[in-house]
Amino acid sequence: MLVFQQPASEEFKNKVFAIIEEKQKLEMDKMQKENPIYSFYSELPEDYEFKIKTDPEYAEQVGKELKQKVLNESLTPAERLAAIGQLQMNMYALNRNELEHLDYEVVDSMIKMTNRLDDEKLRVQALEMLSHTPVIDVRIARQFKSMLDKESNDYVRSIAVDGLMSQFYQARQNNADYRKQLALDILNVYENTTDKSLQNLFNLHLGDEERLNDLKKVAGL
């Protein structure tokens, strides 16, 4: 017996599309709930990166708006940190080492937020963002140095070590004095701490003899 497949009705297709759309929305809501700092990705226009690269006026306007979000204390920490994440993404998209709107005020707000957050999950995400920021700033190193003394959680301390090393390597191109001080500070902790756990964390970064020698050379030792 031959069975002829009837074309799907418009109503049926609409129902299928509605189910798919609802599923995608639930997945997006779940992702944003688990990782609210990077929720802005889902809201960007498809041509966003192209416009940031090719339209200076658009990039300037977006930068100003994002900076105002960061400084706006009436917004939630997640919203403000998302704005910082987008600013950092813009810097990478433009292939720059600096961005006008990622300035002293923004870095200051970022550090203050990491110190005030009660939500531990959001705080860890904020610290991870700070540790990978392309911004070179002595206050960032100071923040991570103090965390090595105050924090008891090894993962949080590993973020601090990662942040210090990131600042050291990024300072290579344009800030010799800051880089030398970082090298001295890192070596001082590494060589003098009696905390075995902290030593192990540094060993993950400095276990390579070449890296250790690079630090000593920059430190003038």
Side-chain angles (χ1 to χ4, degrees):
M1 180 175 65
L2 295 175
V3 178
F4 295 95
Q5 185 175 0
Q6 296 295 323
S9 69
E10 198 65 30
E11 182 182 359
F12 177 75
K13 286 192 287 187
N14 288 338
K15 286 181 178 178
V16 171
F17 288 137
I19 292 171
I20 293 173
E21 186 176 341
E22 180 62 21
K23 182 180 179 183
Q24 290 175 335
K25 183 179 182 302
L26 290 171
E27 289 175 351
M28 188 62 68
D29 289 344
K30 180 182 178 183
M31 183 190 77
Q32 291 183 358
K33 185 176 180 181
E34 293 176 350
N35 210 347
I37 289 178
Y38 298 102
S39 62
F40 68 86
Y41 280 115
S42 63
E43 300 167 4
L44 296 178
E46 288 186 8
D47 62 346
Y48 178 79
E49 188 171 335
F50 178 77
K51 288 185 71 175
I52 285 291
K53 291 178 177 178
T54 61
D55 188 339
E57 290 185 5
Y58 178 74
E60 174 69 14
Q61 183 59 35
V62 169
K64 285 181 178 178
E65 291 173 359
L66 291 172
K67 179 180 175 181
Q68 289 308 309
K69 282 185 178 181
V70 176
L71 302 181
N72 186 353
E73 296 190 2
S74 67
L75 297 178
T76 66
E79 289 172 316
R80 295 170 69 197
L81 288 165
I84 294 171
Q86 192 172 339
L87 277 172
Q88 293 188 171
M89 186 193 76
N90 290 355
M91 181 188 289
Y92 287 123
L94 293 168
N95 196 28
R96 294 182 186 171
N97 294 323
E98 296 179 353
L99 194 66
E100 177 186 355
H101 305 101
L102 265 173
D103 58 11
Y104 184 95
E105 289 181 299
V106 169
V107 172
D108 192 53
S109 291
M110 194 175 187
I111 292 172
K112 286 178 179 175
M113 274 189 280
T114 62
N115 290 328
R116 294 172 182 169
L117 280 167
D118 294 323
D119 184 326
E120 188 61 17
K121 183 176 180 180
L122 190 58
R123 176 175 174 263
V124 168
Q125 288 181 310
L127 289 170
E128 288 173 335
M129 177 187 286
L130 185 61
S131 72
H132 294 116
T133 182
V135 177
I136 300 170
D137 194 301
V138 66
R139 290 165 302 159
I140 296 174
R142 194 181 301 134
Q143 169 79 355
F144 288 132
K145 250 190 93 179
S146 69
M147 284 169 57
L148 295 179
D149 296 325
K150 298 176 182 177
E151 297 288 340
S152 57
N153 183 286
D154 274 352
Y155 181 70
V156 174
R157 293 203 296 177
S158 74
I159 295 174
V161 174
D162 195 29
L164 284 172
M165 296 304 300
S166 177
Q167 287 285 296
F168 172 74
Y169 286 117
Q170 289 186 90
R172 175 175 295 167
Q173 296 181 5
N174 56 9
N175 202 324
D177 290 340
Y178 177 42
R179 191 166 182 250
K180 180 177 181 178
Q181 187 57 55
L182 275 170
L184 287 166
D185 290 343
I186 292 168
L187 286 168
N188 182 53
V189 176
Y190 176 65
E191 294 176 344
N192 294 301
T193 184
T194 57
D195 186 328
K196 294 295 183 185
S197 179
L198 186 55
Q199 282 181 338
N200 289 335
L201 291 176
F202 271 104
N203 280 332
L204 292 174
H205 289 275
L206 301 177
D208 187 315
E209 193 69 25
E210 186 176 339
R211 292 181 183 178
L212 189 56
N213 289 336
D214 186 28
L215 271 171
K216 290 179 178 179
K217 182 178 178 180
V218 172
L221 301 176

